[in-house]
Every structure is written in structure tokens, then in C-alpha cells.
Amino acid sequence: MFQGEDADSGFAELDDVSAAAYGLAVEYGLFEREKIADQLSLTPDEIARVEQVLTGVRLLQSMPGHPCQLTPVTPDVAAASLVGPAERQIRDLQQAVTDVRAKLMSLTPLYFEGRRLRNRLEAFDVISDPSRIQALLDHLGQNCTTEMMTVQPGGARPADRLVQARESALSILGRGVRIRTIYQHTARNDLPTRSYVRDVTLQGAEIRTADEVIDRLIIYDREVAFLPERSACENVVPGAAIVREPTLVAFLCAVFEYLWDGASPYVVESQRSPASSDELKWSIIRLMTKGYKDEMVARRLGMSVRTCRRHIAEITEELEATSRFQAGYNAARQEMLSGEVPTHSLP
């Protein structure tokens, strides 16, 4: 029952006979073995057992100077004698627990500061080395399990990059992962891009185009997002910002869904050239009427300035306009007369 000096489990054996013997000992003032045994009709073995039980629970204690004589004590004295060592041990353990808790709790500020720094490092990371970025992209692509969402601005992609992108996309699609990609309308007229889109869409990828998009964006499994690094030096090859913070990743996913809803499906077999594309035409007209120069229109729509100027010339000729303002006015007038409202992916 208890641990400590002279501890005993005799309390469990304190039966009615032992209790009656204790009452007689109190009445006699001493534990008189023969007298109590005769009174209770106990054999020598039975009175010896009773003595052992009462001694074990400290109800009988030796008289000072007479160790062979046992005298009864009050139950509260017996309890104090019996459980005292255990109580002291409990108090010591409680004090030890309190000391340990206080020492550990003193480290709480250090823990939360470390957590804050760790979360900041884990939630956001900027990598400037292109080889490290590509290695991380490859790793996440190989381990992607549900969905990969990408936004690719700037019109047509370089043919050499499309070769690697095709292999990666087909591998990801082969594992049952959903791929959704948004290009700009200008990518529709690029033959390598059309070939790439044809190959991946046959395997289940979904491709759409919009007149304008936000910057480059790649999201894996709605958990990790890649954004282009912003550098003050224009000549430096930009790196990538890797975002794992759940709230920000969820926001980027919502931005992608907004762009996706406003984009047009890229079905290779049914596409017309950008020169005759109503969506591209209205995108150029909209930016022209806002006063943007050719260079800005080209940059926002992901095409070269030369190509942009060719489209602008075709549009002004089609609208029989002699200026940008007149082209915008004539376009708006035709729109109102026809009752057709062009679709724009971005306001």
C-alpha cells in the first residue's frame, strides 16, 4: 500500500477479530496477550496474527523503555505514523514536479520564438539558383498526387522547354494527377505550343487561354506554390519564391480559379489564328482605348511589339479608323449595335 520505512500492508487484514482485540487493549491500557486471547477465545496462533496486524497498522506501539510491552494508540496517531513517510514522499515528488515544470516553462518564450522563425523559413523560401529551382520542381512534380495548376504568361513558350514540359506532364498525367494550365491567347498561334497542347490534352490535361494573366504561377496539390522572384537588378536571372503558408496558398488557388473561369478552352483542332481571333482583337482594342502604347499592349498580351503593331494595323483597317481613339470609338459603337459583349478574363 505504501512505500517507506517500516511500511506494511496489514491494513487490508484489519478484520473484526483484530478490531475487537484493539478495543480490549484500549480498555486494558496494554495489549495483554493471554487475557485478550482468553476473552476472545483465540488460539496462540490467532492471537499472534492479531498482534501482527495491529502492529502493522501502528495501532499497537512499543512502550518507551519496554520494547516487549505494546500499548494501544489513537487511530489518528496510528494513521500519522503509518502514512507519514508516504506523505513526505508525495510532498517531495510534488515539489520535484513543480521545480521541473517551472524550469521547463521558463523555456516557453524560446520555444515560440524558434517556432516563429521556423515557420517563417518553412512557409516562405526564395531560391535564386535555377538548377535548384528545377530540381525542386522536378521533385514536386514526381510526388504530386492530386492536381497541378499553372499560369504561363508571355505567349508562346520556347520549343526546348516544351520538350521537357511534355515529358513531365505526360508522366504526371499517367499517375492520374489533374493538370490545368492557363496561357495567353497569343500562344494559340505558336506551332510547338499547339503540338504540346494537342499531346497533353489527349492524355487528360486541361488548357485554357486568356488575354491577360497574372505573373507565372505553379501550384502543386494546393499545398506548395511557386512565384517568380522580384529582383532590383534587371540583368539578374530571377529566381523563385516557394510558398507553403496555407492561407496564402489558398488565396493563390482562388486567384487561379478566377482566371480559369474567365479563360477560354484551348481546343487545338478548332482554333483560328490570333489575327482573326475576336478575343485577341477585343483585348487589343480594350488596351488601346485605355491609352497604352504599343510596347505596353504587347507586354501585357504576351506578344512581340512587331506582332502587336501588325494586329493594331489590321484592327484599325477593319474598323476604318485613322487613330487609336477612333478605333476604340468605332469598336464600341459596333459592339452596341450588334449587342455582342466581348468576354474579358480580367477587368
Side-chain angles (χ1 to χ4, degrees), residues 111-129:
Y111 169 80
F112 282 107
E113 176 64 15
R115 272 284 300 273
R116 185 185 67 82
L117 295 175
R118 186 190 71 191
N119 290 342
R120 186 184 67 181
L121 293 174
E122 290 181 349
F124 304 96
D125 193 11
V126 177
I127 301 177
S128 299
D129 183 359

Side-chain angles (χ1 to χ4, degrees), residues 1-2 7-15 18 52-59 75 78-79 82-83:
M1 181 174 62
F2 298 106
D8 195 282
S9 59
F11 184 79
E13 303 174 9
L14 187 58
D15 55 295
S18 299
Q52 182 179 7
V53 169
L54 295 178
T55 304
V57 296
R58 307 296 193 271
L59 287 172
L82 182 64
V83 303

Side-chain angles (χ1 to χ4, degrees), residues 25-26 28-33 51 55 58-73:
V26 172
Y28 301 151
L30 287 172
F31 184 73
E32 299 184 12
R33 297 172 182 81
E51 180 180 344
T55 304
R58 307 296 193 271
L59 287 172
L60 294 179
Q61 297 184 13
S62 300
M63 293 183 63
H66 303 279
C68 294
Q69 293 185 357
L70 299 174
T71 182
V73 298

Side-chain angles (χ1 to χ4, degrees), residues 9 83 94 211 233 271 320:
S9 59
V83 303
Q94 287 177 333
D211 57 351
C233 301
Q271 299 307 316
E320 300 178 350

Side-chain angles (χ1 to χ4, degrees), residues 145-167:
T145 59
T146 57
E147 184 176 17
M148 175 181 172
M149 301 178 286
T150 62
V151 178
Q152 297 287 356
R157 299 175 66 189
D160 59 332
R161 293 188 182 180
L162 287 174
V163 174
Q164 183 179 2
R166 179 184 284 101
E167 294 179 0

